[in-house]
């Protein structure tokens, strides 16, 4: 389960920003507090936003990875949201040799069993290669 924070701006436009270790307190805060109850939620979090040129939604400047999306469907009963990724924005500070450097990005994941956040980053295998040993 990955920790991410999505912000809905206008109907059917969203962005999903990947939480990181250096912003864990702010990311947790925006998940705890409703903007309906706390008018200055974003100001307290310290996040600032820039308007996306791909979708009509803002991008959190402080988080290095952002998926800009359009909502394809939403089920009110199950709360299942399906979106199409229109663009992926990655800050150059987390890129090494033209690729996202997971160690630099320090994405966080939420452990729902213990209610804790962990940083991802340790390589444990090669995608589409490690499983070949079992073929």
């Amino acid at each position: 389960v990955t920790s991410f924070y999505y912000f809905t701006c206008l109907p059917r436009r969203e962005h999903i920003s990947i939480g990181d270790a250096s912003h864990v307190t702010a990311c947790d805060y925006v998940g705890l507090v409703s903007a309906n109850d706390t008018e200055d939620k974003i100001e307290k979090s310290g996040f600032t936003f820039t308007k996306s040129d791909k979708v009509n939604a803002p991008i959190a400047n402080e988080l290095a990875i952002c998926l800009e999306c359009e909502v394809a469907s939403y089920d009110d009963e199950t709360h299942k949201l399906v979106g199409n990724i229109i663009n992926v924005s990655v800050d150059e500070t987390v890129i090494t040799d033209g690729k996202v450097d997971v160690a630099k990005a320090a994405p966080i994941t939420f452990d729902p069993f213990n209610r804790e956040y962990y940083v991802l980053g340790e390589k444990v295998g090669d995608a589409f290669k490690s499983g070949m040993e079992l073929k």
Side-chain angles (χ1 to χ4, degrees):
V1 176
T2 300
S3 291
F4 62 87
Y5 298 88
Y6 72 91
F7 300 86
T8 302
C9 188
L10 296 175
R12 310 195 67 74
R13 303 285 191 264
E14 298 195 16
H15 83 261
I16 299 171
S17 294
I18 307 298
D20 61 42
S22 62
H23 296 95
V24 67
T25 300
C27 289
D28 189 54
Y29 175 74
V30 297
L32 288 171
V33 179
S34 169
N36 293 329
D37 301 325
T38 308
E39 286 185 31
D40 60 348
K41 172 182 175 173
I42 297 303
E43 290 80 15
K44 278 188 173 182
S45 74
F47 289 129
T48 59
F49 296 90
T50 300
K51 185 180 182 321
S52 166
D53 61 353
K54 305 290 183 192
V55 298
N56 197 3
I59 295 175
N61 297 317
E62 293 74 18
L63 299 175
I65 301 172
C66 177
L67 288 75
E68 298 167 74
C69 308
E70 290 184 338
V71 176
S73 65
Y74 180 76
D75 185 314
D76 288 322
E77 190 173 308
T78 64
H79 304 290
K80 180 180 178 180
L81 176 84
V82 177
N84 295 315
I85 299 171
I86 304 303
N87 188 54
V88 177
S89 301
V90 180
D91 190 279
E92 62 187 37
T93 60
V94 300
I95 295 177
T96 301
D97 299 325
K99 297 179 182 178
V100 174
D101 185 326
V102 175
K104 286 182 180 178
I108 56 175
T109 188
F110 173 63
D111 168 5
F113 303 107
N114 297 297
R115 301 175 77 182
E116 299 170 330
Y117 293 104
Y118 289 88
V119 176
L120 301 178
E122 181 184 351
K123 180 182 174 183
V124 295
D126 293 305
F128 309 107
K129 186 176 179 183
S130 295
M132 296 299 280
E133 295 176 23
L134 301 177
K135 271 190 133 182

